[in-house]
Amino acid sequence: MTLLDVSIVNVALPSIRTGIGASQSGLQWVLSGYALTFGLALVPAGRLGDVRGRRPVFLTGLVLFTATSALAGAAQNETWLVVARLLQGAAGGVLVPQVSGFIQQMFRGAQRGRAFGLLGATIGVSTAVGPLLGGLLIQAFGTHEGWRWVFYVNLPIGLAALPVAHRLLPAPPRPEPGRQRARSDLDPVGVLLLGAGTVVLLLPFVQEQQWPGPQKWLLVPAALLVLAGFVRWERRYARGHEPLVDLALFRQRSYAFGVLLSLLYFAGFTAVFFILTLYLQNGKGYTALEAGLSIMPFALGSGGAAAVGGRVVTRIGRPLVAAGLVMVVVGLLGAALAVHLDAARSVGFVTAAPLLLAGLGSGLVISPNQTLTLAEVPVARAGSAGGVLQTAQRIGSAAGIAAVGSVFFSRVDGSHADWSGGFQLGLLTAAGLALLALAVALADVFTARPDTPRGGARGPGAGRR
């Protein structure tokens, strides 16, 4: 549900504009507000799950996400919808880091890889299938009211998941003797510093189209100063307390390389869907349903490959991620070439094969990278470590959409819009970001110590407390 809501709303924007007369700025906040509060909540919520128990935090996030989805669907004006989306994003940020924390807690070795493989399949399919589902709902319920069902679709899922989650997810363990005080520490100053730094860093990216002029980029060095203050505070706080983020995690090569790779990859990966949806609907006159169908090859490839990648990642290690990134780059370049050779309305067909290849590669990147990144993280830190990884993904997504979108819009704005040229340049930019991620993966492979797998985990015992 949470990742579906990142992409499903893209195709609903014209319906929202028709339904409640939302302004362009309001529509931007419907998209970016969700991403902003989602990223803001990830690390504190992950730490809260580590401290208070993951099941109660997961259930709370699930209730809040379901309720705020209903609130968004019932919106009567632009302000109502934007506020609901902000709350919905925060609820998603509470829910998501508990998932990787549960996988760390409940699985070991190859079984953990398989579990992350299924999670990766879910990420790939839910992100890519959103436009298709959104198109189906809008076609079924009409342009004026169809956008409401983009949010209402979460209600039956959430209500059905609640009793199942309560029954199947493990209850919080009893605190260990002598550790209760340390584990109850939630580091409020660290939460405020990290939250402020994340928001200030994300704002110029998510508002890139709405805030003209270069002044907005002054927020980036300001955010870096706040985050530097956060790092200094965490080092000082860790001397006698449990910090929000254990900075020692970044001394583990698998974690440091994995977080950087994830940031770079999501910058390109998420932006592809953003520009593809705009190109097909606005540039080629596709309906929301037709645009969604055009993205399905990527979704199918990503979902299938992620499940397979999860099964073999513990044997192959980071070279598997590098191979997946090569496939992604070739697939994106192939899609750009296909559009260059045939930019007619059949573009959805000619890009199907290269997008399928890119999807297969993506499935070998997301879940295997998550498995390797978290392999050596202690279970007691699984939630906050997973929250940092997912925050890097959200920052990468926001920065990538801003960068790729800027290149794309430079060719489509104005009286002589070149939609095909803009899309090709956008794909080339996304492929460049994937190449940077590939460079990180190769650096991990070729600089690994001889006594460890090539960029992989240490084995079945990795991650124990």
Side-chain angles (χ1 to χ4, degrees):
M1 288 192 300
T2 57
L3 293 169
L4 189 71
D5 267 50
V6 174
S7 61
I8 194 173
V9 177
N10 281 322
V11 298
L13 294 180
S15 179
I16 294 172
R17 182 191 291 276
T18 302
I20 58 174
S23 65
Q24 185 62 36
S25 177
L27 292 175
Q28 178 67 21
W29 271 102
V30 168
L31 288 176
S32 61
Y34 179 89
L36 193 66
T37 53
F38 190 100
L40 179 63
L42 283 168
V43 178
R47 178 61 183 152
L48 184 64
D50 292 340
V51 171
R52 300 287 190 239
R54 297 183 181 99
R55 187 174 74 174
V57 178
F58 180 92
L59 292 174
T60 300
L62 186 56
V63 169
L64 291 174
F65 192 86
T66 305
T68 52
S69 296
L71 185 66
Q76 299 301 305
N77 54 58
E78 176 183 302
T79 302
W80 180 337
L81 180 58
V82 169
V83 171
R85 283 287 282 175
L86 291 170
L87 296 174
Q88 189 188 33
V94 171
L95 181 64
V96 166
Q98 314 313 321
V99 179
S100 60
F102 274 125
I103 291 176
Q104 291 286 97
Q105 175 183 335
M106 297 169 67
F107 300 95
R108 294 289 185 272
Q111 288 186 341
R112 181 182 289 176
R114 294 189 187 100
F116 273 122
L118 292 177
L119 176 60
T122 304
I123 292 171
V125 171
S126 60
T127 303
V129 84
L132 173 62
L133 181 57
L136 287 170
L137 291 170
I138 291 169
Q139 181 164 306
F141 294 99
T143 303
H144 193 76
E145 295 292 325
W147 66 271
R148 298 187 185 276
W149 294 92
V150 165
F151 302 110
Y152 286 151
V153 72
N154 292 325
L155 272 63
I157 302 173
L159 292 174
L162 271 171
V164 178
H166 186 270
R167 180 177 179 180
L168 296 183
L169 295 177
R174 294 180 180 179
E176 299 177 16
R179 286 182 58 87
Q180 186 168 3
R181 180 180 177 184
R183 287 178 58 82
S184 66
D185 196 338
L186 294 176
D187 187 9
V189 175
V191 170
L192 289 174
L193 287 172
L194 180 61
T198 302
V199 169
V200 175
L201 181 61
L202 284 174
L203 268 176
F205 293 107
V206 300
Q207 290 295 100
E208 198 270 338
Q209 291 295 314
Q210 301 303 314
W211 290 355
Q215 295 85 354
K216 59 178 174 287
W217 299 114
L218 294 175
L219 290 175
V220 173
L224 295 178
L225 286 174
V226 175
L227 292 173
F230 167 75
V231 170
R232 184 174 181 180
W233 167 261
E234 292 295 277
R235 286 174 175 167
R236 176 182 175 186
Y237 195 75
R239 296 170 187 167
H241 304 81
E242 287 281 331
L244 177 66
V245 176
D246 185 0
L247 299 177
L249 289 173
F250 289 95
R251 292 199 290 269
Q252 298 173 358
R253 59 176 293 110
S254 60
Y255 190 78
F257 274 106
V259 169
L260 178 58
L261 188 152
S262 191
L263 185 150
L264 292 169
Y265 180 67
F266 270 75
F269 161 71
T270 313
V272 170
F273 300 112
F274 175 66
I275 61 172
L276 180 58
T277 302
L278 289 173
Y279 173 53
L280 293 176
Q281 288 189 267
N282 297 344
K284 293 300 174 183
Y286 278 38
T287 66
L289 178 58
E290 289 171 332
L293 286 170
S294 299
I295 297 173
M296 281 305 294
F298 190 104
L300 295 174
S302 178
V308 174
R311 290 181 174 273
V312 300
V313 63
T314 53
R315 296 198 301 270
I316 301 176
R318 194 75 74 186
L320 178 67
V321 178
L325 286 165
V326 170
M327 294 169 66
V328 170
V329 172
V330 173
L332 294 180
L333 294 177
L337 178 62
V339 173
H340 179 72
L341 296 175
D342 183 1
R345 200 176 186 278
S346 60
V347 67
F349 293 100
V350 300
T351 58
L355 286 179
L356 174 63
L357 177 62
L360 290 169
S362 184
L364 299 179
V365 174
I366 296 176
S367 60
N369 182 62
Q370 190 156 11
T371 303
L372 298 169
T373 302
L374 300 177
E376 298 181 29
V377 172
V379 172
R381 280 284 173 188
S384 56
V388 170
L389 175 62
Q390 290 151 4
T391 301
Q393 294 171 359
R394 301 284 73 76
I395 292 172
S397 296
I401 288 174
V404 176
S406 178
V407 171
F408 175 76
F409 286 118
S410 70
R411 299 294 293 269
V412 303
D413 287 341
S415 56
H416 301 287
D418 181 8
W419 289 95
S420 295
F423 181 60
Q424 292 172 61
L425 284 177
L427 284 178
L428 292 176
T429 306
L433 292 167
L435 276 173
L436 291 176
L438 175 60
V440 174
L442 293 175
D444 189 20
V445 171
F446 291 116
T447 62
R449 296 187 303 272
D451 59 333
T452 61
R454 291 174 295 172
R458 292 177 299 174
R464 293 187 185 274
R465 194 166 10 180

